[in-house]
Amino acid sequence: MTTRIALLGAGRIGQVHARAIASNPSARLVAVADAMPAAAEKLAADYGVETATIGEIAANDDVDAVAICTPTDTHADLIEQFARAGKAVFCEKPIALDIERVRQCLDVVDQSGVLFMVGFNRRFDPHFRALKAAIDEGRIGTVEQVAITSRDPGLPPREYIPSSGGLFRDMTIHDFDMARFLVGEPFIRVMATASALVDPTIRELGDYDTATIILVTASGRQVSISNSRRASYGYDQRIEVTGDLGMIAAENQRPASIELANADGFTRPPLYDFFMSRYVDAYRDEIGSFIAAATGARPVEVSGADGLAALELAQAAERSVRENRMIDL
Amino acid sequence: MTTRIALLGAGRIGQVHARAIASNPSARLVAVADAMPAAAEKLAADYGVETATIGEIAANDDVDAVAICTPTDTHADLIEQFARAGKAVFCEKPIALDIERVRQCLDVVDQSGVLFMVGFNRRFDPHFRALKAAIDEGRIGTVEQVAITSRDPGLPPREYIPSSGGLFRDMTIHDFDMARFLVGEPFIRVMATASALVDPTIRELGDYDTATIILVTASGRQVSISNSRRASYGYDQRIEVTGDLGMIAAENQRPASIELANADGFTRPPLYDFFMSRYVDAYRDEIGSFIAAATGARPVEVSGADGLAALELAQAAERSVRENRMIDL
Amino acid sequence: MTTRIALLGAGRIGQVHARAIASNPSARLVAVADAMPAAAEKLAADYGVETATIGEIAANDDVDAVAICTPTDTHADLIEQFARAGKAVFCEKPIALDIERVRQCLDVVDQSGVLFMVGFNRRFDPHFRALKAAIDEGRIGTVEQVAITSRDPGLPPREYIPSSGGLFRDMTIHDFDMARFLVGEPFIRVMATASALVDPTIRELGDYDTATIILVTASGRQVSISNSRRASYGYDQRIEVTGDLGMIAAENQRPASIELANADGFTRPPLYDFFMSRYVDAYRDEIGSFIAAATGARPVEVSGADGLAALELAQAAERSVRENRMIDL
Amino acid sequence: MTTRIALLGAGRIGQVHARAIASNPSARLVAVADAMPAAAEKLAADYGVETATIGEIAANDDVDAVAICTPTDTHADLIEQFARAGKAVFCEKPIALDIERVRQCLDVVDQSGVLFMVGFNRRFDPHFRALKAAIDEGRIGTVEQVAITSRDPGLPPREYIPSSGGLFRDMTIHDFDMARFLVGEPFIRVMATASALVDPTIRELGDYDTATIILVTASGRQVSISNSRRASYGYDQRIEVTGDLGMIAAENQRPASIELANADGFTRPPLYDFFMSRYVDAYRDEIGSFIAAATGARPVEVSGADGLAALELAQAAERSVRENRMIDL
């Protein structure tokens, strides 16, 4: 069975998903929509498909599913529209920045009964996946401590920040989801510190660029997250998990595994520059998972509830910083 | 401009090239031929193209180029046939196992004037390519010593060995080509030792499974190659080059970069299991290079003369072992 | 000038210091005291020196300095006694477990005018020292985030715990000192979580075995500390520091740098088993620093104030856990 | 029992051994001799012992053993003199540069019945020792291939070269000994190439600075050795051994295990600068092994026969280069 997918949003991440859909033998890209017609046409031409409006796609019985890659503030509306139209829906994170809006949206999804998946791409990274598999196989016993290091190579454009939802909802949300994915027990407490060290004027926008967060479960398991909007050495994405039997760690990735030795020492090249190159395989396997779910081959791997839970942790972390106190969930 | 390519041979390596051609925006897979119709049909169906006979492809004006992935003993004849038919030709290594036959074949190619490329896939591995780029940029100065480690995970099927041309022509030939690629100066002397340690009965077939080879240039640069048909830890593919200013090394690759620590120590998973998984990117970029050459975008990167030169080194190494002496080229 | 040193305490750590003193060309071990005469005699015989009582050593004009390696609850009294006797004093951490007692003791030291050094051995580890030197040279710019991982191989004897001062005063205190050493700016806030995951009955003793702590400075720099009383893979001692220009990390150490590759993967041996083997060089250089200070060759590198400050952080962390709130200093 | 040792030669390596003897609880340094009185006096003063002449030491019944650290051309005569005087003898490699001279000397040693040990320090390096132990425990099965990389940081003083015996006797001899140590089966064939790439004028002195050597055993096991008198990145000392069950490798060592990450990549410091710093532990354990043998605690670990066998391999390698042929032993 081939899943016929329409792509909403022909920007950077839309292009990534288009490629992944086109190369998947179980799916077919059938239409592209974008508010900027030129962008839609370019991408549609690359894959020999048609452009269409949102409305046309929703009304088209030959479309089984949509991949929503539009700006964040359109996500919830589009999810509801396509859920009501009976399409399977994949949506890039976040569903929305406001928790109430997310809840409403998920209610609509639930009532519609359509298949829905949120795009937390890192769960599909082969290295993190191997780490998760090792945990699930009991290789480290019961998880006790997790350390997630997640640093972007640089600040986003200044104009993006006000609509981003802030550091915790925009960036750390991936780490909150990863923490949930790995620990397998709800968090009951959040404590965090955050500052603007990369660019002090970020504070004027009410945001931060550097943060350290602790999450705690009822049984006393502990997660620490280290975030920065700056990493001169590339996109820093590491996870380390310890249990009663041992520790497992996923290392950073780089485009070329070479090492140069000279009088300055032994030097390996910088890491991948950002998520578009670092997570190529993750994006491919993420959409593969959605397609597999759409064909009934496996259950949905990242649910709307996962999207909501990560957002709740982001909100709690932000409150912890603003109110200088630990937040109990 | 789109290069229309027919695939000859629908076996394992043919499938790799089919995928690479299909995903390359500058090329189109237009036909598949195989002596086993079922194999051709399966592969053709996967990519929505037609099957055809060798003769039909040679006669088809809508085919610009062929990728030859058939058994070794058919290579030279097919190269000649398609060169005469005016098609650009990509052929998996080796052209032939006999040097005279290679020379004849290359004469036909030269007279035909078609574009011809030999498939030494490792030249296109991103890690080795980064290593070569560092050398070309002068990062280690003048190359002085090269160490190539190349170990297969296990012996090929016993019945393959008699037609393989022996260890040096079948396996080491890649290392000879890599040595030539990196050193950039002709070799004038070869000395080698070889034995059958993995399976002593390999000697009954006149072959070896374990070898160490030294190549020397006129200026005294030295290459050592270490080969084995056994590596319990995966497909061992490393290169290390020293020059007057430093050393550069390309490390082994593995599917997942994780490390497990427990009372037994710190363990990273085995390497890729063999060339089909290890060199996915290399095969993709190899056919990309052929397509780029076919469209005139860049010169051919691996010529027929490269194929011949590597074979001459293989023959010299074999003579060195059989005659217990150094061979001057 | 040779510094004549008496050793107080002939136990495990006393033996380490005896060896370091004996091998230092600027010092001479001149006497050994221990509440257990047999222990004192054994150690004295190994180095060809005399045993003596505490009182004899204090009264002996041929003793320039003492190294206090006795149980924690004797430290403060001995420091005061020997400060009043005019001897240079090196004392293993901690000075005392109670902050008021530490302050009294340091007052006595100050009034006596003797040279006084606290034994935070990790500051002298060559790897951490190289890391600190790189920071001081500006290699990573301004320090922004520090991550300290510190895991003991196992729980101390259960009977030790009540007199240990608890996890934060006994174990984390080294990490608090390291944080202070690296960040170079006072901490204004501490938040922590702790649990008993290694041995739940530790809670009955009012202690923890697993903790994660965040320290924050006025300018928003952040330190995270991860502690556990369990590490199946050896004594886990790592530091990672990021600044605006880069990151610097000190790796774990192991007795033998070998790697075994087989079908299970690539395995390096476990780490050093504990501080006595991991910090051999650190202990040697620590006592070397004390001797250099005693001879006036360099200033005291770890002061009584450093000992007090680390203890204050330990107390704050403990309060943060007990009171479920962030503690402002 | 304490072994009373006199040191012959107070130069650089003599100082290393003096320190090792002084810190060994089973030995005592009792006298120092050197052709340069000032050198002897300085070293004697450091350790509170007497200076003496060669003759006085030979005649002194309170001397149990000598450590010969004088220039190479005095080794054989001194070994014979002290063997006849009934002292246990430790001698730095080589015994002599001429094979006949070595045989004569070993005959004298044999007839005297004294304990005799040759100084191949690398056998005592903790990392190589762990590697050897892993082989002996069967961790990689039967040894099949060995790769030894051994590069000095730079050329020795030009005036040293004529008396050095040439690259193979002076430098590679350590690698020949290591090959014998690891393979445990006699070599029957040697083939080598050598050139002067570091300093072409080395050829005028009849020597080389860059070499690659293959050793082969009767059963077909293979050793490759890569040598250079230049390594901008420090003293390069690595060993890799493969067997039918796996591979084991000993990595390079550096003074500080830190890594700096910035826009240039991830950089670890250069290696130890040369053998005096790289092999501190090896020298300590080497003299410890001699002392243990002198007290009967264990057998001699490196015999005169080992010294001879390594020299024979050096001679064969040199002949292989000079005569452009493989040499059968």
Side-chain angles (χ1 to χ4, degrees), chain D residues 117-118 120-129 178 181 281-283 285-287 289-290 298 301-302:
Chain D
M117 177 169 157
V118 175
F120 281 127
N121 60 299
R122 293 186 201 169
R123 288 196 185 201
F124 300 93
D125 175 71
H127 313 288
F128 297 158
R129 223 163 167 83
M178 186 53 72
F181 183 54
D281 291 347
Y283 282 116
D285 292 347
E286 178 187 56
I287 211 74
S289 171
F290 174 66
R298 43 172 151 146
E301 293 193 73
V302 195

PDB file of all heavy atoms in Angstrom, chain D residues 117-118 120-129 178 181 281-283 285-287 289-290 298 301-302:
ATOM      1  N   MET D 117      70.855  -9.104  32.116  1.00  0.00           N
ATOM      2  CA  MET D 117      69.608  -8.619  31.495  1.00  0.00           C
ATOM      3  C   MET D 117      69.911  -7.447  30.553  1.00  0.00           C
ATOM      4  O   MET D 117      70.699  -6.555  30.880  1.00  0.00           O
ATOM      5  CB  MET D 117      68.635  -8.159  32.587  1.00  0.00           C
ATOM      6  CG  MET D 117      67.338  -7.565  32.026  1.00  0.00           C
ATOM      7  SD  MET D 117      66.088  -7.331  33.353  1.00  0.00           S
ATOM      8  CE  MET D 117      65.061  -6.060  32.590  1.00  0.00           C
ATOM      9  N   VAL D 118      69.261  -7.472  29.397  1.00  0.00           N
ATOM     10  CA  VAL D 118      69.415  -6.415  28.404  1.00  0.00           C
ATOM     11  C   VAL D 118      68.243  -5.438  28.529  1.00  0.00           C
ATOM     12  O   VAL D 118      67.116  -5.844  28.810  1.00  0.00           O
ATOM     13  CB  VAL D 118      69.449  -7.009  26.977  1.00  0.00           C
ATOM     14  CG1 VAL D 118      69.487  -5.890  25.934  1.00  0.00           C
ATOM     15  CG2 VAL D 118      70.650  -7.914  26.811  1.00  0.00           C
ATOM     16  N   PHE D 120      65.674  -3.676  27.056  1.00  0.00           N
ATOM     17  CA  PHE D 120      64.650  -3.317  26.071  1.00  0.00           C
ATOM     18  C   PHE D 120      63.460  -2.785  26.850  1.00  0.00           C
ATOM     19  O   PHE D 120      62.536  -3.522  27.220  1.00  0.00           O
ATOM     20  CB  PHE D 120      64.259  -4.535  25.225  1.00  0.00           C
ATOM     21  CG  PHE D 120      65.237  -4.848  24.130  1.00  0.00           C
ATOM     22  CD1 PHE D 120      65.775  -6.119  23.991  1.00  0.00           C
ATOM     23  CD2 PHE D 120      65.625  -3.869  23.228  1.00  0.00           C
ATOM     24  CE1 PHE D 120      66.673  -6.407  22.978  1.00  0.00           C
ATOM     25  CE2 PHE D 120      66.527  -4.152  22.202  1.00  0.00           C
ATOM     26  CZ  PHE D 120      67.050  -5.424  22.082  1.00  0.00           C
ATOM     27  N   ASN D 121      63.481  -1.492  27.099  1.00  0.00           N
ATOM     28  CA  ASN D 121      62.525  -0.882  28.012  1.00  0.00           C
ATOM     29  C   ASN D 121      61.062  -1.049  27.610  1.00  0.00           C
ATOM     30  O   ASN D 121      60.179  -1.133  28.453  1.00  0.00           O
ATOM     31  CB  ASN D 121      62.833   0.613  28.160  1.00  0.00           C
ATOM     32  CG  ASN D 121      62.741   1.357  26.841  1.00  0.00           C
ATOM     33  OD1 ASN D 121      63.489   1.047  25.908  1.00  0.00           O
ATOM     34  ND2 ASN D 121      61.854   2.318  26.741  1.00  0.00           N
ATOM     35  N   ARG D 122      60.793  -1.095  26.305  1.00  0.00           N
ATOM     36  CA  ARG D 122      59.382  -1.080  25.875  1.00  0.00           C
ATOM     37  C   ARG D 122      58.611  -2.308  26.330  1.00  0.00           C
ATOM     38  O   ARG D 122      57.379  -2.262  26.433  1.00  0.00           O
ATOM     39  CB  ARG D 122      59.293  -0.960  24.356  1.00  0.00           C
ATOM     40  CG  ARG D 122      59.794   0.385  23.901  1.00  0.00           C
ATOM     41  CD  ARG D 122      59.591   0.584  22.435  1.00  0.00           C
ATOM     42  NE  ARG D 122      60.500   1.635  21.961  1.00  0.00           N
ATOM     43  CZ  ARG D 122      60.733   1.913  20.701  1.00  0.00           C
ATOM     44  NH1 ARG D 122      60.122   1.208  19.756  1.00  0.00           N
ATOM     45  NH2 ARG D 122      61.576   2.863  20.365  1.00  0.00           N
ATOM     46  N   ARG D 123      59.338  -3.413  26.551  1.00  0.00           N
ATOM     47  CA  ARG D 123      58.626  -4.598  27.036  1.00  0.00           C
ATOM     48  C   ARG D 123      57.949  -4.333  28.381  1.00  0.00           C
ATOM     49  O   ARG D 123      57.083  -5.105  28.794  1.00  0.00           O
ATOM     50  CB  ARG D 123      59.612  -5.757  27.232  1.00  0.00           C
ATOM     51  CG  ARG D 123      60.138  -6.360  25.963  1.00  0.00           C
ATOM     52  CD  ARG D 123      60.761  -7.703  26.294  1.00  0.00           C
ATOM     53  NE  ARG D 123      61.399  -8.305  25.122  1.00  0.00           N
ATOM     54  CZ  ARG D 123      61.657  -9.592  25.018  1.00  0.00           C
ATOM     55  NH1 ARG D 123      61.347 -10.405  26.028  1.00  0.00           N
ATOM     56  NH2 ARG D 123      62.250 -10.076  23.945  1.00  0.00           N
ATOM     57  N   PHE D 124      58.374  -3.274  29.069  1.00  0.00           N
ATOM     58  CA  PHE D 124      57.871  -3.004  30.417  1.00  0.00           C
ATOM     59  C   PHE D 124      56.860  -1.861  30.456  1.00  0.00           C
ATOM     60  O   PHE D 124      56.339  -1.525  31.519  1.00  0.00           O
ATOM     61  CB  PHE D 124      59.053  -2.747  31.360  1.00  0.00           C
ATOM     62  CG  PHE D 124      59.975  -3.918  31.432  1.00  0.00           C
ATOM     63  CD1 PHE D 124      61.087  -4.012  30.611  1.00  0.00           C
ATOM     64  CD2 PHE D 124      59.694  -4.978  32.282  1.00  0.00           C
ATOM     65  CE1 PHE D 124      61.914  -5.124  30.634  1.00  0.00           C
ATOM     66  CE2 PHE D 124      60.516  -6.097  32.320  1.00  0.00           C
ATOM     67  CZ  PHE D 124      61.637  -6.172  31.493  1.00  0.00           C
ATOM     68  N   ASP D 125      56.626  -1.264  29.306  1.00  0.00           N
ATOM     69  CA  ASP D 125      55.588  -0.227  29.249  1.00  0.00           C
ATOM     70  C   ASP D 125      54.245  -0.834  29.676  1.00  0.00           C
ATOM     71  O   ASP D 125      53.855  -1.890  29.174  1.00  0.00           O
ATOM     72  CB  ASP D 125      55.486   0.296  27.806  1.00  0.00           C
ATOM     73  CG  ASP D 125      54.352   1.285  27.643  1.00  0.00           C
ATOM     74  OD1 ASP D 125      54.469   2.406  28.153  1.00  0.00           O
ATOM     75  OD2 ASP D 125      53.325   0.912  27.031  1.00  0.00           O
ATOM     76  N   PRO D 126      53.531  -0.190  30.602  1.00  0.00           N
ATOM     77  CA  PRO D 126      52.286  -0.796  31.105  1.00  0.00           C
ATOM     78  C   PRO D 126      51.257  -1.062  30.009  1.00  0.00           C
ATOM     79  O   PRO D 126      50.497  -2.030  30.092  1.00  0.00           O
ATOM     80  CB  PRO D 126      51.751   0.254  32.092  1.00  0.00           C
ATOM     81  CG  PRO D 126      52.919   1.089  32.462  1.00  0.00           C
ATOM     82  CD  PRO D 126      53.853   1.068  31.289  1.00  0.00           C
ATOM     83  N   HIS D 127      51.227  -0.222  28.990  1.00  0.00           N
ATOM     84  CA  HIS D 127      50.231  -0.388  27.933  1.00  0.00           C
ATOM     85  C   HIS D 127      50.594  -1.571  27.040  1.00  0.00           C
ATOM     86  O   HIS D 127      49.750  -2.397  26.716  1.00  0.00           O
ATOM     87  CB  HIS D 127      50.100   0.908  27.152  1.00  0.00           C
ATOM     88  CG  HIS D 127      49.980   2.094  28.041  1.00  0.00           C
ATOM     89  ND1 HIS D 127      48.852   2.348  28.764  1.00  0.00           N
ATOM     90  CD2 HIS D 127      50.888   3.038  28.414  1.00  0.00           C
ATOM     91  CE1 HIS D 127      49.045   3.427  29.509  1.00  0.00           C
ATOM     92  NE2 HIS D 127      50.272   3.857  29.306  1.00  0.00           N
ATOM     93  N   PHE D 128      51.862  -1.645  26.663  1.00  0.00           N
ATOM     94  CA  PHE D 128      52.291  -2.779  25.837  1.00  0.00           C
ATOM     95  C   PHE D 128      52.199  -4.077  26.643  1.00  0.00           C
ATOM     96  O   PHE D 128      51.905  -5.133  26.109  1.00  0.00           O
ATOM     97  CB  PHE D 128      53.715  -2.572  25.328  1.00  0.00           C
ATOM     98  CG  PHE D 128      53.859  -1.373  24.427  1.00  0.00           C
ATOM     99  CD1 PHE D 128      55.101  -0.752  24.238  1.00  0.00           C
ATOM    100  CD2 PHE D 128      52.759  -0.839  23.752  1.00  0.00           C
ATOM    101  CE1 PHE D 128      55.239   0.340  23.406  1.00  0.00           C
ATOM    102  CE2 PHE D 128      52.892   0.270  22.918  1.00  0.00           C
ATOM    103  CZ  PHE D 128      54.136   0.859  22.749  1.00  0.00           C
ATOM    104  N   ARG D 129      52.467  -3.964  27.913  1.00  0.00           N
ATOM    105  CA  ARG D 129      52.387  -5.137  28.781  1.00  0.00           C
ATOM    106  C   ARG D 129      50.946  -5.641  28.898  1.00  0.00           C
ATOM    107  O   ARG D 129      50.688  -6.850  28.884  1.00  0.00           O
ATOM    108  CB  ARG D 129      52.914  -4.763  30.167  1.00  0.00           C
ATOM    109  CG  ARG D 129      53.801  -5.829  30.754  1.00  0.00           C
ATOM    110  CD  ARG D 129      54.645  -5.342  31.884  1.00  0.00           C
ATOM    111  NE  ARG D 129      55.221  -6.462  32.586  1.00  0.00           N
ATOM    112  CZ  ARG D 129      56.315  -7.106  32.222  1.00  0.00           C
ATOM    113  NH1 ARG D 129      56.990  -6.737  31.148  1.00  0.00           N
ATOM    114  NH2 ARG D 129      56.767  -8.121  32.924  1.00  0.00           N
ATOM    115  N   MET D 178      60.302  -6.054  20.009  1.00  0.00           N
ATOM    116  CA  MET D 178      58.863  -6.096  20.289  1.00  0.00           C
ATOM    117  C   MET D 178      58.180  -7.130  19.401  1.00  0.00           C
ATOM    118  O   MET D 178      57.306  -7.880  19.853  1.00  0.00           O
ATOM    119  CB  MET D 178      58.264  -4.696  20.062  1.00  0.00           C
ATOM    120  CG  MET D 178      56.818  -4.544  20.446  1.00  0.00           C
ATOM    121  SD  MET D 178      56.409  -5.057  22.140  1.00  0.00           S
ATOM    122  CE  MET D 178      57.184  -3.719  23.086  1.00  0.00           C
ATOM    123  N   PHE D 181      58.838 -10.425  20.838  1.00  0.00           N
ATOM    124  CA  PHE D 181      58.105 -10.527  22.103  1.00  0.00           C
ATOM    125  C   PHE D 181      56.644 -10.909  21.857  1.00  0.00           C
ATOM    126  O   PHE D 181      56.058 -11.719  22.579  1.00  0.00           O
ATOM    127  CB  PHE D 181      58.209  -9.173  22.801  1.00  0.00           C
ATOM    128  CG  PHE D 181      57.593  -9.057  24.167  1.00  0.00           C
ATOM    129  CD1 PHE D 181      57.923  -9.936  25.192  1.00  0.00           C
ATOM    130  CD2 PHE D 181      56.710  -8.023  24.443  1.00  0.00           C
ATOM    131  CE1 PHE D 181      57.370  -9.787  26.462  1.00  0.00           C
ATOM    132  CE2 PHE D 181      56.164  -7.867  25.715  1.00  0.00           C
ATOM    133  CZ  PHE D 181      56.495  -8.760  26.717  1.00  0.00           C
ATOM    134  N   ASP D 281      57.377   5.045  33.237  1.00  0.00           N
ATOM    135  CA  ASP D 281      56.916   3.848  33.954  1.00  0.00           C
ATOM    136  C   ASP D 281      57.641   2.602  33.465  1.00  0.00           C
ATOM    137  O   ASP D 281      57.918   1.687  34.250  1.00  0.00           O
ATOM    138  CB  ASP D 281      55.401   3.653  33.767  1.00  0.00           C
ATOM    139  CG  ASP D 281      54.599   4.739  34.485  1.00  0.00           C
ATOM    140  OD1 ASP D 281      55.186   5.467  35.298  1.00  0.00           O
ATOM    141  OD2 ASP D 281      53.392   4.840  34.220  1.00  0.00           O
ATOM    142  N   ALA D 282      57.927   2.566  32.174  1.00  0.00           N
ATOM    143  CA  ALA D 282      58.620   1.399  31.618  1.00  0.00           C
ATOM    144  C   ALA D 282      60.018   1.270  32.218  1.00  0.00           C
ATOM    145  O   ALA D 282      60.445   0.176  32.604  1.00  0.00           O
ATOM    146  CB  ALA D 282      58.705   1.520  30.101  1.00  0.00           C
ATOM    147  N   TYR D 283      60.729   2.382  32.323  1.00  0.00           N
ATOM    148  CA  TYR D 283      62.083   2.325  32.898  1.00  0.00           C
ATOM    149  C   TYR D 283      62.017   1.898  34.362  1.00  0.00           C
ATOM    150  O   TYR D 283      62.843   1.121  34.831  1.00  0.00           O
ATOM    151  CB  TYR D 283      62.788   3.682  32.756  1.00  0.00           C
ATOM    152  CG  TYR D 283      63.312   3.920  31.361  1.00  0.00           C
ATOM    153  CD1 TYR D 283      62.820   4.949  30.575  1.00  0.00           C
ATOM    154  CD2 TYR D 283      64.301   3.101  30.818  1.00  0.00           C
ATOM    155  CE1 TYR D 283      63.300   5.169  29.288  1.00  0.00           C
ATOM    156  CE2 TYR D 283      64.784   3.313  29.527  1.00  0.00           C
ATOM    157  CZ  TYR D 283      64.278   4.348  28.763  1.00  0.00           C
ATOM    158  OH  TYR D 283      64.761   4.544  27.498  1.00  0.00           O
ATOM    159  N   ASP D 285      59.745   0.008  35.776  1.00  0.00           N
ATOM    160  CA  ASP D 285      59.412  -1.409  35.884  1.00  0.00           C
ATOM    161  C   ASP D 285      60.507  -2.302  35.308  1.00  0.00           C
ATOM    162  O   ASP D 285      60.643  -3.457  35.714  1.00  0.00           O
ATOM    163  CB  ASP D 285      58.074  -1.689  35.191  1.00  0.00           C
ATOM    164  CG  ASP D 285      56.912  -1.031  35.934  1.00  0.00           C
ATOM    165  OD1 ASP D 285      57.121  -0.588  37.087  1.00  0.00           O
ATOM    166  OD2 ASP D 285      55.812  -0.956  35.369  1.00  0.00           O
ATOM    167  N   GLU D 286      61.264  -1.761  34.364  1.00  0.00           N
ATOM    168  CA  GLU D 286      62.379  -2.527  33.798  1.00  0.00           C
ATOM    169  C   GLU D 286      63.428  -2.783  34.884  1.00  0.00           C
ATOM    170  O   GLU D 286      63.841  -3.928  35.089  1.00  0.00           O
ATOM    171  CB  GLU D 286      63.002  -1.723  32.652  1.00  0.00           C
ATOM    172  CG  GLU D 286      64.204  -2.374  31.998  1.00  0.00           C
ATOM    173  CD  GLU D 286      64.853  -1.433  30.986  1.00  0.00           C
ATOM    174  OE1 GLU D 286      65.232  -0.290  31.372  1.00  0.00           O
ATOM    175  OE2 GLU D 286      64.990  -1.824  29.835  1.00  0.00           O
ATOM    176  N   ILE D 287      63.841  -1.742  35.588  1.00  0.00           N
ATOM    177  CA  ILE D 287      64.855  -1.938  36.627  1.00  0.00           C
ATOM    178  C   ILE D 287      64.251  -2.749  37.772  1.00  0.00           C
ATOM    179  O   ILE D 287      64.944  -3.559  38.412  1.00  0.00           O
ATOM    180  CB  ILE D 287      65.453  -0.578  37.088  1.00  0.00           C
ATOM    181  CG1 ILE D 287      66.915  -0.770  37.528  1.00  0.00           C
ATOM    182  CG2 ILE D 287      64.656   0.068  38.186  1.00  0.00           C
ATOM    183  CD1 ILE D 287      67.892  -0.970  36.394  1.00  0.00           C
ATOM    184  N   SER D 289      62.220  -5.184  37.334  1.00  0.00           N
ATOM    185  CA  SER D 289      62.309  -6.570  36.872  1.00  0.00           C
ATOM    186  C   SER D 289      63.718  -7.113  37.091  1.00  0.00           C
ATOM    187  O   SER D 289      63.906  -8.265  37.503  1.00  0.00           O
ATOM    188  CB  SER D 289      61.944  -6.635  35.384  1.00  0.00           C
ATOM    189  OG  SER D 289      62.206  -7.911  34.869  1.00  0.00           O
ATOM    190  N   PHE D 290      64.721  -6.273  36.817  1.00  0.00           N
ATOM    191  CA  PHE D 290      66.116  -6.691  37.042  1.00  0.00           C
ATOM    192  C   PHE D 290      66.366  -6.963  38.517  1.00  0.00           C
ATOM    193  O   PHE D 290      66.972  -7.981  38.898  1.00  0.00           O
ATOM    194  CB  PHE D 290      67.064  -5.596  36.535  1.00  0.00           C
ATOM    195  CG  PHE D 290      68.515  -5.841  36.847  1.00  0.00           C
ATOM    196  CD1 PHE D 290      69.208  -6.913  36.286  1.00  0.00           C
ATOM    197  CD2 PHE D 290      69.209  -4.992  37.712  1.00  0.00           C
ATOM    198  CE1 PHE D 290      70.561  -7.140  36.570  1.00  0.00           C
ATOM    199  CE2 PHE D 290      70.543  -5.204  37.997  1.00  0.00           C
ATOM    200  CZ  PHE D 290      71.223  -6.278  37.432  1.00  0.00           C
ATOM    201  N   ARG D 298      61.924 -13.508  40.337  1.00  0.00           N
ATOM    202  CA  ARG D 298      61.401 -13.992  39.053  1.00  0.00           C
ATOM    203  C   ARG D 298      62.541 -14.174  38.059  1.00  0.00           C
ATOM    204  O   ARG D 298      63.642 -13.675  38.297  1.00  0.00           O
ATOM    205  CB  ARG D 298      60.306 -13.084  38.494  1.00  0.00           C
ATOM    206  CG  ARG D 298      60.515 -11.610  38.582  1.00  0.00           C
ATOM    207  CD  ARG D 298      59.424 -10.848  37.788  1.00  0.00           C
ATOM    208  NE  ARG D 298      59.185  -9.537  38.361  1.00  0.00           N
ATOM    209  CZ  ARG D 298      58.866  -8.458  37.647  1.00  0.00           C
ATOM    210  NH1 ARG D 298      58.747  -8.532  36.340  1.00  0.00           N
ATOM    211  NH2 ARG D 298      58.672  -7.298  38.233  1.00  0.00           N
ATOM    212  N   GLU D 301      63.787 -11.336  32.448  1.00  0.00           N
ATOM    213  CA  GLU D 301      62.748 -11.202  31.408  1.00  0.00           C
ATOM    214  C   GLU D 301      63.303 -10.865  30.022  1.00  0.00           C
ATOM    215  O   GLU D 301      62.613 -11.065  29.026  1.00  0.00           O
ATOM    216  CB  GLU D 301      61.726 -10.145  31.834  1.00  0.00           C
ATOM    217  CG  GLU D 301      60.920 -10.571  33.047  1.00  0.00           C
ATOM    218  CD  GLU D 301      59.712  -9.693  33.279  1.00  0.00           C
ATOM    219  OE1 GLU D 301      58.743  -9.803  32.519  1.00  0.00           O
ATOM    220  OE2 GLU D 301      59.749  -8.886  34.231  1.00  0.00           O
ATOM    221  N   VAL D 302      64.492 -10.316  29.945  1.00  0.00           N
ATOM    222  CA  VAL D 302      65.103 -10.033  28.637  1.00  0.00           C
ATOM    223  C   VAL D 302      66.544 -10.523  28.678  1.00  0.00           C
ATOM    224  O   VAL D 302      67.387  -9.923  29.357  1.00  0.00           O
ATOM    225  CB  VAL D 302      65.086  -8.522  28.293  1.00  0.00           C
ATOM    226  CG1 VAL D 302      65.369  -8.342  26.814  1.00  0.00           C
ATOM    227  CG2 VAL D 302      63.774  -7.873  28.682  1.00  0.00           C
TER     228      VAL D 302
END
